[in-house]
Amino acid sequence: MSTEIVELVGQATPYLTAAVSAYGGAVLARTEDAAVEATANLGRRILHAVFRRGSQAEQAALEAAVQDAAQDPENTDAVAALRQQIKRALREDADLRKELAHLLPAPAAGPVTITASGERSIAAHTITTAITGDGHRIGQ
């Protein structure tokens, strides 16, 4: 298996699991929702890209892997089976590899150090939403 495929799937995995966790087994039927976290939407877009390029049998296998991962997102075997479906699709389709490479954020060029210091500090490589303090309600 090429290093490129392993790297793409490694980069995609957090997005895939976020999408499956957010949308459950309906992730392949879900349309984009601007209110849903960007990470889950990217995972959904990746799954849709793989799904639409597959044969009926490949689509059924992907759906089954998504359902298994959605039922228990903490099940490492189910997540690994989903990753295997993605790898298989990437091995067979160079255009899909290019599409996923464009969808995924570029990996960091080198080591990244992130430090948070102080009460209610936030540190992350990428933050989509952050609220510190008491009494805040998201979505209202």
Side-chain angles (χ1 to χ4, degrees):
M1 182 178 319
S2 81
T3 305
E4 177 189 19
I5 291 172
V6 172
E7 289 175 2
L8 282 172
V9 172
Q11 284 180 270
T13 298
Y15 301 102
L16 298 172
T17 55
V20 168
S21 294
Y23 298 124
V27 67
L28 293 172
R30 182 85 179 197
T31 57
E32 190 162 347
D33 181 352
V36 176
E37 185 178 340
T39 300
N41 271 330
L42 179 53
R44 183 195 51 76
R45 289 172 52 206
I46 291 167
L47 286 168
H48 274 258
V50 174
F51 184 79
R52 77 171 176 269
R53 291 176 175 272
S55 66
Q56 271 189 312
E58 291 164 336
Q59 288 176 347
L62 181 62
E63 282 183 292
V66 165
Q67 290 296 331
D68 289 345
Q71 287 175 1
D72 187 3
E74 300 299 317
N75 181 337
T76 57
D77 291 336
V79 174
L82 178 57
R83 284 195 342 253
Q84 191 62 32
Q85 291 297 320
I86 304 298
K87 285 179 185 177
R88 184 174 295 119
L90 290 170
R91 268 195 311 266
E92 297 171 3
D93 190 336
D95 289 335
L96 179 60
R97 287 194 300 272
K98 289 177 189 172
E99 185 175 350
L100 261 57
H102 284 28
L103 283 174
L104 290 165
V112 176
T113 303
I114 301 169
T115 305
S117 177
E119 186 176 336
R120 298 181 189 206
S121 295
I122 298 174
H125 189 265
T126 303
I127 296 177
T128 55
T129 302
I131 297 175
T132 62
D134 296 326
H136 293 284
R137 299 179 82 172
I138 296 175
Q140 293 195 355

